[in-house]
Amino acid sequence: MATTQPDGTQTPLIDASVHIFFGSNKDLRQNFMREPFRSRGFPDYEMDWYGAPGGEYAKGTEGSDGQYPGSDPDVVAKHLFTDRGVDMAILHPMTRGIMPDRHLGTAIAAAHNEMMVTRWLEHPEHGERFRGTIRVNPDDLTGALREIDKYRDHPRVVQIGVPLQSRELYGKPQYWPLWEAVIDANLPVAVHIEVGSGIALPPTPSGNTRTYEQYAGFMALNYLYHLMNMIAEGVFERMPALKFVWADGAADLLTPFIWRMDCFGRPHLEQTPWAPKMPSDYLPGHVFFVQGMLDGPGDADFAGEWHSFTGKDDMVMYGSSYPHWQLNEPSVPSAFSTEQRDKLLWRNAAELYGLQIGAEVRL
């Protein structure tokens, strides 16, 4: 398969952000959860403060019998592989955020992992073109390590997933054993906005936003707090093999933010002797993004130049956010070079996740 560009060329396409769900809460509870957690209370996927105007999910993404959008592998495979020309899809199960009971949170994550592996990664027809994200609960180190150990050697598992809406910044030492385990498993970490209303902190330093538009515009920026903290705490200096994927867009904000960090960091490096480099020096090879619908200047004359600043050429990967309403298209600004286009659409993801797909642009 391939995606066709406006100039008629065809290129490989890796979708680095495909969200999958259970068909229903009954499906989750009865088929993948066990007591004492099966009968516990936890939020529905739809239980959040900010419903998207017009609906959260794109039309036609429900299962053949009305199951939840993004829950039927056959429907998803048709939409991605047949209709959109995707070669391979990186699956990211949507769980329920941080639960008050860490054991319940881990049980929910474990159920989603089992569902993804058995229904999707081992699907007899489509499994070869799916790759998976194992969800772990960062509030339960023992449970998280157990899930990593269980699936680390599965040939179609390519990353570990944690929620963007954490209760602590991910540079703090309590998370270091988790990141060390991820490195030992030779997997990157993907950080994504969660569904369902858990007990995470508000999405802005000033509290909760009023509308969905404000929430969607701001929420992804929380990666900046995590990233700043990880650099300041010396996480990437301490763990040179650690890779983080900020999977909910906002890559366009990296450049002004890191410029500001470098400006303030230059005269104050002595305050963080465990992180002796300039902040921007910790980006290459450590920091990656999935392209969001609203990222960057759009199809402007300077789009290619802006994309090249701060090394973003090598950091950003295309992701559709299927089955969510925006369904990001694999469109590339006309000002992008051929190399920039290929890195965005498939090459960066292929290198990060170790995927073998066609290496030549097809005409």
Side-chain angles (χ1 to χ4, degrees), residues 10-166:
Q10 290 186 308
T11 66
L13 181 63
I14 296 174
D15 190 335
S17 184
V18 174
H19 308 149
I20 62 173
F21 300 83
F22 281 97
S24 64
N25 284 331
K26 182 178 180 181
D27 178 26
L28 164 60
R29 290 183 184 276
Q30 293 191 356
N31 295 323
F32 290 92
M33 293 192 76
R34 300 152 186 86
E35 294 296 2
F37 304 109
R38 174 182 289 174
S39 57
R40 294 281 299 277
F42 50 80
D44 184 86
Y45 289 130
E46 297 292 322
M47 185 180 173
D48 58 54
W49 298 112
Y50 304 103
E56 187 66 33
Y57 302 102
K59 293 181 179 179
T61 56
E62 301 85 359
S64 56
D65 294 323
Q67 301 99 322
Y68 204 82
S71 64
D72 187 325
D74 292 322
V75 172
V76 175
K78 178 184 181 301
H79 288 164
L80 295 180
F81 304 141
T82 302
D83 298 345
R84 298 172 70 89
V86 172
D87 289 273
M88 303 189 77
I90 311 301
L91 307 178
H92 198 122
M94 292 284 96
T95 62
R96 309 300 171 89
I98 301 295
M99 297 292 101
D101 181 346
R102 66 184 185 278
H103 301 297
L104 174 61
T106 295
I108 294 172
H112 282 76
N113 294 337
E114 184 181 355
M115 177 270 290
M116 179 187 67
V117 170
T118 59
R119 289 184 178 174
W120 297 77
L121 302 188
E122 297 175 356
H123 191 282
E125 182 178 356
H126 311 300
E128 179 58 37
R129 299 174 72 178
F130 290 133
R131 294 296 184 270
T133 303
I134 292 300
R135 298 304 310 272
V136 301
N137 177 11
D139 275 11
D140 178 15
L141 179 60
T142 300
L145 298 182
R146 185 172 62 244
E147 288 298 294
I148 294 173
D149 188 63
K150 182 176 181 179
Y151 294 108
R152 58 179 291 168
D153 294 325
H154 194 289
R156 294 175 184 167
V157 167
V158 296
Q159 67 186 357
I160 303 300
V162 296
L164 182 65
Q165 311 101 299
S166 65

Side-chain angles (χ1 to χ4, degrees), residues 7-8 76 78 117 123 176-177 192 212 262 298 300 315 324 340 359:
D7 63 1
V76 175
K78 178 184 181 301
V117 170
H123 191 282
W176 291 0
H192 195 283
Y212 174 85
D262 278 356
M315 299 178 188
H324 284 88
Q340 287 178 315

Side-chain angles (χ1 to χ4, degrees), residues 3-6 13 291 318 328-334 336 341 344-345:
T3 182
T4 302
Q5 299 303 310
L13 181 63
Q291 180 82 357
Y318 163 73
N328 302 330
E329 294 292 336
S331 58
V332 179
S334 57
F336 272 30
R341 178 196 66 191
L344 172 66
L345 294 182

